[in-house]
Amino acid sequence: MQDEEIRNPPSAGRAGPAHLRRAAGAAVAVRGESVISWGDRNVSTQDLKSAAALAVVALLAFSGSFVSYAGIQQSGPLGVASGSGSSPEPDQWTQVVGNGFGDANNLALWELHAFKDQVYAATWRKAGTGSLQLWRSPTGEQGSWTRVTDFQPPLLDRICCVSGITSTNLGGGFIYMGTFTGRTGIDPVLYRSADGIAWARINDPTNGWVAGKNYGVNPMVVGEKLYVGTFNLEGAQVWRTPYDGEAWEKVLDFAAIDSTVRLVTYIWSWRGTIYVGTWDGVQAIERVLPQGAHIYTSSSGDPGTWTKNAGVGDGFGDRENRNIAQMVDFEGFLYASTSNRQGGQLWRSQDGQAWQRVVDGGFGNPLNNELHSLRVINGQLWVATLALQPHSTEVWRSNDGSSFLRSNEPGWGIPENRGNAGIAVQFGDFVFAATPNATTGGQLWRAVPPPPPPELLAPSGSVALATTGTTLSWSESPRATQVHLQVVPANNDGPAIDAIRSAESSFLIQPPVIGQGNYTLLPDMTYTWRVRASNKPTYAPTDDRSWGPWSEARTFRTPVRDSSRIAPVSPANGATIGKGIQALQWDNQDRDVFYYEVQVSPDPKFGEEGPVAPVWHNLVHGGVSTPLNSWRTPELQPSTTYYWRVRPRVQGDGIPVAWSQTWSFSTAP
């Protein structure tokens, strides 16, 4: 089979015109069958159905493979663009807690946290109905939850809610719970526990903590220190102590540097720097124009080292961004979410200084007033919203941090599921999300998230293969039902693999064998490969929302093949043949080479020293030509000597090889 004829000779040193450098075409392989399209025509290696029909077979039985050879697009993020406010059918969620653990005065499940072998849920109580409640479960299943009651000192009735929960694995593991009082004269209590059952206060004034006008404490472990941010009408504070001790030190006092900051909302550590997010409490409390939220940073956390992040400024340039709700790092970026009466926003930065907005207007709905919760779950970024009436809580997820899918129906179909919390956490194989409900009590829902990205095992990164074939292997993904494999040549220049297969952890790319098949890998080419997984019980198309994130991308390089083992078959070198159309055939002892360049001309220099005579320069798939490794000439002139040569086709980032010897034949008069 042949590609386009070229009547003008190529310039010296080039393999031919640029539009011939791609091995264009497509092929579909299902259970060993193959149909190959090269150029504009199809040549079948077997008497098979059409490629379209084979694609249908792959859709109905994904235990086979779906392989596309050529021009594939590397799948980008799955789902709708951020801020569009629409998405396909949501994920499958199941309610596991309803009616505030049987107490409608538990208006919301305000905090969720996974620690050791338990998942914890802390409630927000209706005013005047007692203190918050802390519940836990070893599975998260309905009916498996028990209330934690051992607090020393006991929780006061005026402690309405938890302001934050965090944990560390250091020292065998500790979990910390900060509380919020909302009243002057009552210092908030910070609890610590090693087992989640017995809790002891660790911010007693006798160990350095200075009691004052703090209303709440929000903890976060950074290194071997426990940092705690406070809510204080005279200026928020940041304190720290050893994670397992009680030696408190105040490291940041906003009363001295910026009294508009009344609340430290979140503390995060990223790339050796501590980030402290704030709330613009002046606007809310004193009814003045908003000042915008800030982020303060320090590399050591020591007193006197904190500076205002200039990139964030006052609310990322929008003073309606009054609150840095949460922060998290994901795929090389630091993310920060906000509350804004025009809809919460999501920002990210690669260096902590220059910030880019990736979500605006509450995912297209201003009633998503705050992007309240940021979590990384199975390699995806999850966001839960704080929704204002009449809207309801939403949960969104993203594979790349910029394009998002809505995971749930707003409020899980219950209009009253709205208000001051919407949080998500991973525990076991599930993602849990909580929502407030002021009518019947807070609720807890769970779903199975898409599988995490597989870990690529072999071949190792940037390896040079010994043969033109290899076995790709990767780790199994939990709950995966199928995997999606892509193998893409350099510059997307040549055959590629885009295969959906049943759940497995390896894929054999057979070396090409001339006359038999496996026409995939070209010589001296870098190939990039990656894998992702889906847990959908039926076939998942490439754009299905069930696909998890892609693995990292790795590369391998195929071996070099030259022209030294190529010899003419017909006509013999120097032979005289008939005029008209003739078949030129060659043999190559390198049986894994299937794609060739062929040049034929009356000019023995093939135009390399200037135009002398026409030159035919063709790309030939030797595996599907008839006979194998052959090319049929156009009409040959009588009484003319022609010269011809062949070489393996090298594309992408490969280096073209030298031509074979030049052979000749003459036509009869």
Side-chain angles (χ1 to χ4, degrees), residues 490-550:
N491 305 324
N492 203 25
D493 191 8
I497 296 175
D498 192 16
I500 293 175
R501 300 177 63 84
S502 56
E504 56 189 35
S505 58
S506 66
F507 182 86
L508 173 61
I509 305 178
Q510 295 274 8
V513 179
I514 198 71
Q516 297 182 22
N518 307 319
Y519 302 127
T520 305
L521 300 183
L522 294 170
D524 193 26
M525 178 98 83
T526 297
Y527 287 82
T528 301
W529 66 288
R530 61 180 184 172
V531 185
R532 61 179 178 170
S534 166
N535 51 24
K536 189 174 183 178
T538 57
Y539 174 81
T542 57
D543 61 351
D544 195 86
R545 64 182 292 124
S546 66
W547 289 108
W550 286 104

Side-chain angles (χ1 to χ4, degrees), residues 199-370:
W199 296 76
R201 179 177 183 175
I202 61 170
N203 66 330
D204 191 278
T206 61
N207 55 37
W209 181 274
V210 178
K213 297 181 180 180
N214 289 319
Y215 290 79
V217 285
N218 192 3
M220 176 62 67
V221 176
V222 178
E224 295 191 356
K225 298 286 188 180
L226 174 67
Y227 284 77
V228 175
T230 75
F231 176 32
N232 191 307
L233 294 181
E234 296 179 357
Q237 302 168 2
V238 176
W239 294 73
R240 72 179 178 188
T241 185
Y243 75 92
D244 58 350
E246 300 175 40
W248 289 98
E249 174 189 19
K250 184 163 61 175
V251 296
L252 179 57
D253 189 348
F254 282 100
I257 61 172
D258 187 353
S259 61
T260 66
V261 175
R262 306 298 173 84
L263 171 64
V264 170
T265 55
Y266 211 69
I267 303 173
W268 194 253
S269 177
W270 184 62
R271 294 182 179 175
T273 298
I274 304 171
Y275 292 77
V276 169
T278 72
W279 172 56
D280 174 19
V282 169
Q283 187 278 333
I285 296 170
E286 300 179 9
R287 306 299 181 186
V288 298
L289 292 175
Q291 304 298 306
H294 314 312
I295 290 179
Y296 279 76
T297 63
S298 171
S299 59
S300 66
D302 295 336
T305 64
W306 297 85
T307 58
K308 183 178 177 180
N309 186 287
V312 176
D314 300 324
F316 297 101
D318 179 358
R319 296 194 175 203
E320 291 296 337
N321 281 323
R322 307 175 189 186
N323 177 26
I324 303 295
Q326 288 199 3
M327 291 176 277
V328 74
D329 55 276
F330 175 69
E331 294 295 320
F333 290 88
L334 176 64
Y335 285 77
S337 62
T338 74
S339 61
N340 189 305
R341 64 180 181 178
Q342 300 302 319
Q345 299 177 1
L346 183 64
W347 293 74
R348 71 180 183 182
S349 173
Q350 287 184 298
D351 60 6
Q353 296 296 324
W355 293 81
Q356 172 194 17
R357 185 173 57 203
V358 292
V359 172
D360 193 14
F363 291 106
N365 190 330
L367 294 178
N368 284 323
N369 178 259
E370 178 176 297

Side-chain angles (χ1 to χ4, degrees), residues 35-73:
V35 171
I36 298 173
S37 170
W38 215 267
D40 296 326
R41 292 172 289 174
N42 287 337
V43 173
S44 177
T45 59
Q46 302 179 33
D47 184 15
L48 301 177
K49 310 178 185 75
S50 68
L54 290 175
V56 172
V57 173
L59 292 174
L60 296 176
F62 62 80
S63 59
S65 62
F66 179 86
V67 182
S68 170
Y69 292 111
I72 71 166
Q73 295 181 351

Side-chain angles (χ1 to χ4, degrees), residues 76-79 91 93 328-331 335 346 373-383 395-407 424-426 429-431 447-453 532-535 544-550:
L78 304 177
D91 300 328
W93 289 83
V328 74
D329 55 276
F330 175 69
E331 294 295 320
Y335 285 77
L346 183 64
S373 176
L374 301 181
R375 298 288 188 273
V376 176
I377 298 173
N378 279 4
Q380 290 187 311
L381 180 60
W382 290 69
V383 183
V395 179
W396 292 72
R397 59 180 174 87
S398 171
N399 283 346
D400 67 351
S402 61
S403 297
F404 285 79
L405 287 172
R406 196 182 70 236
S407 177
V425 69
Q426 183 179 13
D429 292 334
F430 297 92
V431 56
V448 178
R532 61 179 178 170
S534 166
N535 51 24
D544 195 86
R545 64 182 292 124
S546 66
W547 289 108
W550 286 104

